[in-house]
């Protein structure tokens, strides 16, 4: 028999072995088979994610290595040796810009003019320094150089016959420089000096035409640096035709502005989105990060100081560049943590803010030279933070967080570009600046992630809104049905009142009236005879019973009321209550219809009955005015006004059942009830409701 697998791993191995060797294997137990398949698919997904991650990691690393290998120029371009570069075999005009890299003659702490090299005893070079590169760490007279100082570089370019005009592009200077070609000053950035007070730094790119005489060009470059931690030439000087150099420079600035403009536009979009949806804090952090990256790119050497193209006078661009870099790190981390808080630590966030605050404060109080010299320490912190974020985003991807895969891919591109630029800026590798493209890819991916989240959030809101609208519609239908049932109940109640009132009027009242008349006739027959003393009292009781019975049936339903109107009943109601209470009650009416067919007039009668009764009981009035007005178009208004003591001085009652019943009756006919204080004292009860039927015919008074 086949051995039964002991655990899950053995089961999976057994399944795969049988599939490979025999091609047929199945578990008879469906539950176990489904469980194993689910585990296998989950494991496959994890393996696929890891494969994609490491594949992209390897691809980006390979791209970085390839670009680093291109930093020294084209493969066919020779390098300078001992201050001479031979380009005589190259058609410089048609070959495109050529980077003149290699060993330049280096004269430390000397600003040698070009004329001194033309004499019989030219100065002796202090060392041979490879450019591009900072002079930091170079050994001169047994001493290691720092970033502060000044020097002269010299290079002899063997061009051979040149058919056309040549030009040179000077770039990558953080402080000040001057360039001569065959003894003629052709380019100048800032003011070169021998001290910080004499030097005026300037960061810009210049393309200068070269005077070509014969078959060689003698380049003399003077450089001073007292404001940045790296001295020398950090970017290559390029030689070629003026048109091609200018076209390449315009292309470089155009691509940089494209990236910067895209990042700025995305930032403005998410800032506007945050203004409309304040709970989306991730959009605010993302917009802030985009703005800081925009400032960083405008003032960075990797974009050839493109900010100088837009803004001629940028105050201390190096300082602005470093400050934007320092502040952008915690903002970027805070944005990622807003997306995936479970995978990125809050303590790391606090640490990033603390480190950024320390470096930003240092940048404010320290000189640019000192501040830029401590930036490599910040680079180390940024490198560790980048690795930590990669691990956190990978964990979020494995947990299938929304958009985590795109965030990880974008951050991988950005992280490798950042690591490359930091190592290149510290002169630890030979490469090119890649951060602007890494930023562009990262911002693009993160914008996609936020758009994905927003679209899903909007879809959820739309679905909830649709459900809410459906629920509201159902609720409105239920409320309308409930109101209809309430009206039906009230109508049934009033109909029952009417029936009882008619039964009392036609039954008990008639019987009592007949009994009273029969008793009166009997007394009349016995006028001459001796009548018992109680007969008179019995007659009075019968008289009072008849009156009470009629009052009772009128209270249940005013039998003398016009069934299609309310005014006659209100008039009779006010007359009867005025007679019984001794209080003057005045009835005023304005009718818009000859006959009222509104089904809600009964409720007006009940509301008036309750309001008048309350006024008689509690207000202690001398006069009550009842008004009924339906002359206004589509509106019926009932008012009961008394001149009593008012609500404030009246007795405090608990419950307020009468007012609640009046409000309820008003709602059943679609109206509103208000109880307010009168202008001259007393209380005013007003009920207003729409009238379904309207006629301009005047009512008969």
């Amino acid at each position: 028999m086949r051995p039964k697998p002991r655990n899950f791993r053995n089961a999976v191995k057994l399944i795969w072995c049988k599939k490979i060797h025999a091609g047929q294997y199945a578990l008879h137990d469906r539950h176990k088979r489904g469980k194993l398949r689910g585990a296998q698919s989950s494991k496959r997904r994890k393996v696929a994610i890891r494969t994609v991650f490491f594949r992209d990691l390897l691809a980006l690393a390979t791209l970085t290595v390839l670009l680093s290998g291109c930093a020294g120029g084209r493969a066919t371009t020779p390098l300078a040796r001992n201050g001479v570069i031979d380009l005589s075999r190259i058609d410089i005009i048609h070959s495109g810009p050529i980077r003149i890299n290699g060993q330049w003659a280096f004269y430390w702490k000397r600003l040698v003019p070009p004329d001194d090299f033309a004499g019989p005893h030219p100065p002796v070079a202090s060392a041979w320094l490879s450019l591009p590169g900072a002079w930091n760490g170079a050994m001169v007279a047994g001493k290691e150089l720092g970033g502060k100082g000044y020097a002269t570089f010299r290079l002899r370019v063997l061009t051979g016959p040149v058919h056309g005009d040549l030009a040179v592009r000077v770039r990558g200077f953080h402080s000040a420089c001057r360039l001569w070609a065959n003894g003629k000053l052709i380019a100048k950035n800032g003011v070169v000096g021998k001290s910080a007070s004499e030097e005026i730094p300037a960061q810009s790119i210049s393309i200068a035409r070269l005077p070509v005489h014969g078959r060689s060009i003698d380049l003399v470059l003077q450089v001073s640096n007292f404001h940045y931690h790296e001295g020398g030439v950090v970017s290559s000087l390029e030689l070629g035709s003026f048109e091609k150099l200018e076209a390449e420079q315009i292309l470089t600035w155009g691509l940089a502005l494209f990236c910067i403009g895209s990042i700025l536009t995305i930032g403005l979009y998410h800032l506007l989105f945050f203004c409309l949806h304040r709970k989306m804090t991730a959009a605010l952090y993302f917009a802030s990060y985009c703005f800081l990256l925009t400032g960083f790119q405008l003032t960075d050497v990797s974009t050839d100081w493109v900010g100088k193209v837009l803004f001629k006078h940028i105050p201390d661009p190096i300082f602005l560049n470093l400050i934007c870099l320092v502040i952008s790190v915690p903002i970027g981390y805070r944005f990622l943590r807003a997306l995936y808080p479970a995978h990125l630590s809050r303590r790391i966030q606090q640490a990033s803010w603390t480190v950024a605050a320390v470096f930003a404060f240092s940048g404010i109080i320290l000189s640019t030279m000192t501040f830029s010299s401590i930036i490599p320490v910040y680079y180390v912190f940024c490198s560790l933070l980048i690795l930590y974020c990669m691990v956190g985003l990978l964990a979020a991807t494995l947990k299938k967080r929304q958009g985590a895969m795109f965030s990880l891919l974008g951050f991988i591109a950005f992280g490798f570009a950042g690591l490359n630029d930091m190592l290149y800026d510290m002169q630890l590798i030979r490469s090119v600046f890649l951060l602007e493209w890494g930023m562009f890819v990262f911002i693009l991916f993160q914008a996609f992630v936020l758009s994905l989240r927003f679209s899903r959030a909007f879809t959820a809101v739309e679905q909830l809104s649709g459900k809410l609208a459906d629920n509201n519609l159902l609720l409105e239908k239920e409320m309308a049905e409930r109101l209809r049932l309430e009206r039906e109940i009230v109508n049934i109640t009033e109909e029952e009142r009417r029936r009882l009132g008619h039964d009392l009027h036609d039954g008990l009242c008639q019987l009592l009236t007949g009994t009273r008349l029969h008793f009166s006739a009997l007394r009349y027959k016995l006028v001459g005879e001796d009548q018992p003393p109680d007969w008179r009292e019995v007659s009075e009781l019968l008289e009072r019973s008849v009156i009470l019975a009629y009052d009772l049936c009128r209270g249940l339903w005013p039998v003398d009321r016009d069934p299609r109107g309310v005014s006659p009943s209100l008039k009779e109601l006010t007359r009867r209550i005025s007679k019984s209470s001794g209080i003057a009650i005045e009835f005023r009416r304005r009718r818009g219809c000859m006959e009222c067919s509104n089904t809600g007039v009964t409720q007006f009668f009940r509301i008036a009955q309750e309001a008048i009764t309350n006024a008689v009981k509690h207000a202690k009035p001398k006069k009550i005015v009842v008004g009924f007005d339906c002359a206004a178009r589509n509106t019926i208004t009932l008012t009961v006004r008394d001149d009593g003591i008012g609500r404030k001085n009246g007795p405090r009652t608990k419950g307020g059942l009468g007012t609640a019943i009046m409000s309820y009756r008003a709602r059943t006919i679609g109206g509103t009830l208000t109880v307010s204080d009168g202008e001259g004292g007393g209380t005013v009860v007003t009920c207003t409701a729409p009238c379904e039927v309207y006629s301009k015919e005047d009512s008969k008074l």
Side-chain angles (χ1 to χ4, degrees):
M1 293 182 62
R2 182 172 57 250
K4 185 178 294 186
R6 296 182 179 180
N7 52 32
F8 175 78
R9 180 176 296 180
N10 292 335
V12 174
K13 287 182 178 179
L14 186 59
I15 290 173
W16 281 104
C17 289
K18 289 297 180 180
K19 282 187 176 181
I20 293 173
H21 296 290
Q24 295 179 351
Y25 185 82
L27 293 176
H28 299 288
D29 188 355
R30 289 186 177 182
H31 177 71
K32 291 183 179 180
R33 183 170 56 193
K35 187 175 180 181
L36 288 175
R37 286 179 178 175
Q40 290 170 7
S41 62
S42 177
K43 186 175 181 180
R44 289 176 184 174
R45 283 194 296 268
K46 292 181 179 180
V47 171
I49 291 173
R50 292 192 184 99
T51 303
V52 171
F53 173 73
F54 288 111
R55 183 190 64 191
D56 294 334
L57 201 65
L58 181 60
L60 288 170
T62 304
L63 179 62
T64 303
V65 171
L66 291 175
L67 291 174
S68 300
C70 297
R74 304 180 189 275
T76 57
T77 303
L79 297 177
R81 293 182 181 276
N82 298 327
V84 180
I85 182 170
D86 187 3
L87 304 178
S88 59
R89 298 181 180 181
I90 300 175
D91 187 357
I92 303 176
I93 298 297
H94 298 92
S95 297
I98 298 174
R99 296 187 177 98
I100 45 179
N101 299 337
Q103 293 178 343
W104 288 52
F106 178 61
Y107 304 86
W108 177 243
K109 288 295 182 86
R110 285 183 288 177
L111 298 178
V112 184
D115 295 339
D116 291 357
F117 294 105
H121 302 287
V124 180
S126 304
W128 304 102
L129 192 64
S130 294
L131 296 185
W135 61 51
N136 299 58
M139 301 299 296
V140 175
K143 294 183 180 180
E144 184 176 343
L145 303 183
K148 187 183 297 185
Y150 55 94
T152 302
F153 295 87
R154 182 172 181 256
L155 179 67
R156 184 177 177 81
V157 182
L158 303 179
T159 60
V162 178
H163 303 285
D165 294 332
L166 289 180
V168 64
R169 181 164 63 156
V170 183
R171 52 200 291 264
F173 292 92
H174 290 95
S175 294
C177 71
R178 287 182 293 192
L179 178 64
W180 282 267
N182 293 333
K184 182 179 179 181
L185 182 64
I186 61 173
K188 179 181 179 181
N189 284 344
V191 177
V192 178
K194 296 183 178 182
S195 64
S197 59
E198 295 180 3
E199 181 189 73
I200 300 178
Q203 295 79 31
S204 62
I205 303 300
S206 60
I207 301 176
R209 296 183 183 274
L210 289 175
V212 181
H213 304 291
R215 296 176 176 268
S216 65
I217 302 173
D218 191 25
L219 298 179
V220 177
L221 178 64
Q222 293 180 355
V223 179
S224 66
N225 179 67
F226 294 94
H227 293 82
Y228 194 68
H229 73 282
E230 288 182 343
V233 185
V234 296
S235 297
S236 301
L237 273 69
E238 296 180 356
L239 187 66
S241 66
F242 183 85
E243 291 76 12
K244 288 190 175 182
L245 288 174
E246 187 178 41
E248 185 173 298
Q249 184 61 65
I250 292 174
L251 178 62
T252 301
W253 281 338
L255 292 175
L257 289 175
F258 168 75
C259 294
I260 293 171
S262 301
I263 294 173
L264 181 61
T265 302
I266 294 173
L268 291 174
Y269 168 78
H270 286 88
L271 179 62
L272 179 61
F273 186 87
F274 172 75
C275 294
L276 298 177
H277 303 275
R278 295 299 181 89
K279 293 183 178 180
M280 296 291 186
T281 56
L284 175 62
Y285 292 121
F286 188 67
S288 303
Y289 188 66
C290 290
F291 296 149
L292 289 170
L293 292 185
T294 299
F296 176 81
Q297 288 294 298
L298 285 172
T299 56
D300 193 52
V301 67
S302 64
T303 60
D304 286 347
W305 316 107
V306 70
K308 290 284 188 176
V309 179
L310 303 176
F311 311 101
K312 298 297 183 182
H313 304 286
I314 298 180
D316 201 353
I318 295 179
F319 172 77
L320 294 177
N321 177 265
L322 296 178
I323 287 295
C324 289
L325 172 65
V326 168
I327 300 177
S328 66
V329 173
I331 292 290
Y333 182 84
R334 184 62 183 87
F335 161 67
L336 292 176
R337 191 176 181 279
L339 295 178
Y340 311 105
H343 303 283
L344 297 173
S345 172
R346 180 187 293 271
R347 293 184 178 180
I348 300 297
Q349 172 188 324
Q350 295 172 350
S352 65
W353 278 112
T354 302
V355 174
V358 170
F359 274 86
F361 181 73
S362 301
I364 296 174
I365 63 174
L366 299 177
S367 63
T368 306
M369 168 68 76
T370 307
F371 181 42
S372 61
S373 64
I374 63 175
I375 282 296
V377 180
Y378 196 69
Y379 285 166
V380 176
F381 173 76
C382 293
S383 302
L384 296 176
L385 190 62
I386 287 173
L387 296 176
Y388 174 77
C389 290
M390 284 186 181
V391 174
L393 292 176
L394 178 60
T397 303
L398 294 177
K399 291 291 185 179
K400 302 178 184 178
R401 304 302 183 192
Q402 186 179 25
M405 172 67 78
F406 296 99
S407 295
L408 176 62
L409 295 178
F411 192 79
I412 288 174
F414 174 72
F416 271 98
L419 292 173
N420 170 81
D421 283 21
M422 286 186 288
L423 295 174
Y424 181 40
D425 187 52
M426 292 187 293
Q427 299 297 311
L428 297 179
I429 62 173
R430 298 286 301 276
S431 181
V432 293
F433 290 110
L434 301 174
L435 188 59
E436 58 181 298
W437 296 107
M439 287 180 178
F440 179 76
V441 173
F442 174 69
I443 294 296
L444 189 63
F445 273 79
Q446 301 315 306
F448 176 77
V449 172
L450 287 180
S451 300
L452 181 63
R453 288 198 168 204
F454 295 158
S455 63
R456 292 187 178 180
F458 291 152
T459 302
V461 170
E462 290 178 355
Q463 293 176 352
L464 292 176
S465 300
K467 291 181 181 179
L468 182 61
D470 294 340
N471 292 336
N472 288 338
L473 185 61
L474 292 176
L475 183 60
E476 289 176 358
K477 290 182 179 179
E478 291 181 1
M479 292 177 64
E481 181 65 18
R482 179 178 296 181
L483 184 61
R484 188 191 66 80
L485 293 175
E486 290 177 351
R487 288 179 179 177
E488 189 69 22
I489 292 172
V490 171
N491 292 334
I492 292 173
T493 303
E494 293 298 332
E495 182 64 23
E496 189 66 19
R497 280 172 171 266
R498 186 192 64 78
R499 187 185 64 79
L500 289 175
H502 284 185
D503 290 345
L504 286 174
H505 183 273
D506 298 338
L508 179 61
C509 290
Q510 299 299 330
L511 182 61
L512 288 175
T513 300
T515 304
R516 181 177 62 81
L517 292 175
H518 185 71
F519 187 76
S520 297
L522 182 61
R523 286 186 62 191
Y524 181 76
K525 290 180 181 180
L526 299 176
V527 172
E529 301 179 7
D530 295 335
Q531 298 180 0
D534 295 337
W535 280 34
R536 184 177 183 85
E537 184 177 352
V538 171
S539 179
E540 293 178 355
L541 288 174
L542 286 173
E543 182 72 20
R544 289 162 57 187
S545 297
V546 170
I547 295 173
L548 182 62
Y550 273 106
D551 289 341
L552 181 62
C553 72
R554 286 191 181 95
L556 289 173
W557 184 262
V559 292
D560 58 342
R561 182 179 77 82
D562 181 3
R564 292 173 294 178
V566 71
S567 297
S569 298
L570 283 177
K571 186 176 182 179
E572 174 61 24
L573 175 67
T574 56
R575 185 194 64 77
R576 184 161 39 85
I577 296 179
S578 176
K579 181 179 179 181
S580 62
S581 63
I583 299 173
I585 302 178
E586 180 183 352
F587 176 65
R588 302 172 183 175
R589 65 182 178 183
R590 286 202 318 158
R591 297 179 61 176
C593 300
M594 195 69 180
E595 294 181 352
C596 183
S597 58
N598 194 311
T599 57
V601 293
T602 304
Q603 304 306 323
F604 281 101
F605 177 83
R606 296 302 179 192
I607 292 172
Q609 186 179 27
E610 181 68 25
I612 296 171
T613 303
N614 288 341
V616 171
K617 287 183 179 180
H618 307 296
K620 301 178 182 180
K622 295 181 180 179
K623 184 178 180 180
I624 299 175
V625 178
V626 179
F628 182 77
D629 185 359
C630 62
R633 188 174 183 83
N634 299 333
T635 303
I636 302 176
T637 303
L638 171 70
T639 57
V640 178
R641 184 188 305 269
D642 65 72
D643 59 353
I645 59 177
R647 293 183 300 168
K648 295 182 180 179
N649 300 323
R652 301 293 179 180
T653 58
K654 296 182 178 180
L657 184 60
T659 304
I661 292 175
M662 288 190 293
S663 298
Y664 172 75
R665 289 183 180 276
R667 287 196 301 271
T668 59
I669 57 177
T672 57
L673 180 78
T674 58
V675 181
S676 59
D677 297 327
E679 295 181 358
T683 305
V684 179
V685 178
T686 304
C687 179
T688 303
C691 182
E692 301 173 355
V693 182
Y694 179 81
S695 174
K696 292 186 178 180
E697 297 182 6
D698 296 331
S699 62
K700 294 182 179 181
L701 300 177

